Amino acid sequence: MFDVVIVGGGAAGFFAAIHIAEARPQLKIAILERGKQVLTKVKVSGGGRCNVTHAEFNPADLASNYPRGEKELLGPFHTYATGDTIGFFEKRGISLKIEEDGRMFPTTDSSQTIIDCFTSEADRLGIHIVRICTVTGFKNVFSDQGDLWEISTAKKAYRSKKLLLTTGSNPKIWGLLNGLGHTIVPPVPSLFTFNIQDERIKNIPGISSHTEVTVLDKIKSRRNNGRVGHSEILSSEGPLLITHWGMSGPAILKLSAWGARILESYKYQFKIKVNWVPDYHPDGLLELFMKVKQVEKKTVLRTKVVDVPKRLWANLVCAAGIDDSLTWPEVSKNQLQDLTAQLTESLFFVNGKSTFKEEFVTAGGVDLKEVNFKTFESKVLPNVYFAGEILNIDAITGGFNFQNAWTGGFLAAQGIVNSFDRT
């Protein structure tokens, strides 16, 4: 018999358990983890460094990084956000550092630092951790101790006054919740890279450039003045990384997150438009080229007049039909128009997706309308709470998904503690 059973030994589960145990040391708390190891996602996050959070301290700006959950997280972020996360770890002797892109990591550059913090705190606070414990069901039962939740596992059943579910994207747990009356938004992948086979990027993996990338609606394409046009449905700006299989980097990952459901409906086959020089308007860029044509005597290939990587410039010059030996005085206006188009509106066909490193993120989960975001308690099932990606909440890359886990874990813990105070 426990006061609180937490299903899921990940970031949100441990964070909540620690806060409950610190606030009410007398409560008996258990974490049930289906695997041999706990905190496995923490282990691989950020390439093994653990991207703990993001240096965004304004609640509204922080919430804007969540394609699903932005509105619901605004209130919680006013209660517990990035600064509180930093304080939690600093209190336990762990300093975090801010990198240039805003991501925050432990100064040790090791996810083991975070894992050791959580497991040592759990030991210190007497939190019971049960590994290799797959939950097969849970139900509300009546006893002489009042309403309880009975959690069935392959080996035994546990009873608890409060149940906190932090199981992430677990279809079996979602199925159990659906059977008990919760609405589950069907899951689709989020945070993925684009598979693209194209001569313009074929031999230049590892190159990164600041871009604007737009997803084009392939269904609504139309003919306009003799040219094929497209409806632009999603757009993002940021670094784009050319890879062996296509494109990645923040600009692509943002699109995959915000467009998770749309791109799934396209079966991950669609066109994108890449502007490699988002600071330029096409007309302004062509005007610049025409001025360079009047004064520059070298070849177009050797004279990179905009801020893009050299090898990318060379590939785009080639794609515009400009020969390696052609000088600026020799190049035609039509060729410069083609080069302008290659730089400002390169079209690429995406044929499939790849997982972004080890950061498996899913859009979907418990319908947010069925959760009280002051306490993260279920509106459908009494004394059941949620935190983390079990909910239909997900974020772009950069530490935001962990911040959702910390905030949800803290508020669920606070809700559980306050509920005991009322009884």
Side-chain angles (χ1 to χ4, degrees), residues 4 21 64 83 95 135 147 182 201 245 272 282 300-301 303 306 333 358 366 419:
V4 183
S64 71
S95 297
V135 169
D147 280 3
H182 260 294
I201 62 171
W245 60 88
I272 59 171
V300 177
L301 181 69
T303 314
V306 290
K333 183 177 180 180
E358 295 86 5
V366 175
S419 72

Side-chain angles (χ1 to χ4, degrees), residues 299-359:
T299 64
V300 177
L301 181 69
R302 290 181 59 190
T303 314
K304 181 172 70 72
V305 296
V306 290
D307 186 20
V308 297
K310 285 183 180 180
R311 288 192 293 163
L312 175 63
W313 169 265
N315 284 6
L316 295 180
V317 167
C318 178
I322 300 172
D323 188 81
D324 291 2
S325 61
L326 208 62
T327 64
W328 280 95
E330 295 170 333
V331 72
S332 70
K333 183 177 180 180
N334 284 343
Q335 287 175 312
L336 291 179
Q337 286 175 329
D338 288 344
L339 180 57
T340 298
Q342 288 293 339
L343 283 160
T344 60
E345 49 183 12
S346 289
L347 294 181
F348 293 90
F349 179 67
V350 177
N351 185 21
K353 62 177 177 59
S354 295
T355 302
F356 175 61
K357 298 182 180 178
E358 295 86 5
E359 297 189 16

Side-chain angles (χ1 to χ4, degrees), residues 6-7 18 24 46 55 76 87 114 122 125 137 154 201 211 256 301 307 324 395:
I6 299 169
V7 181
I18 290 166
R24 295 293 179 272
I114 306 301
L125 294 164
I201 62 171
T211 63
S256 73
L301 181 69
D307 186 20
D324 291 2

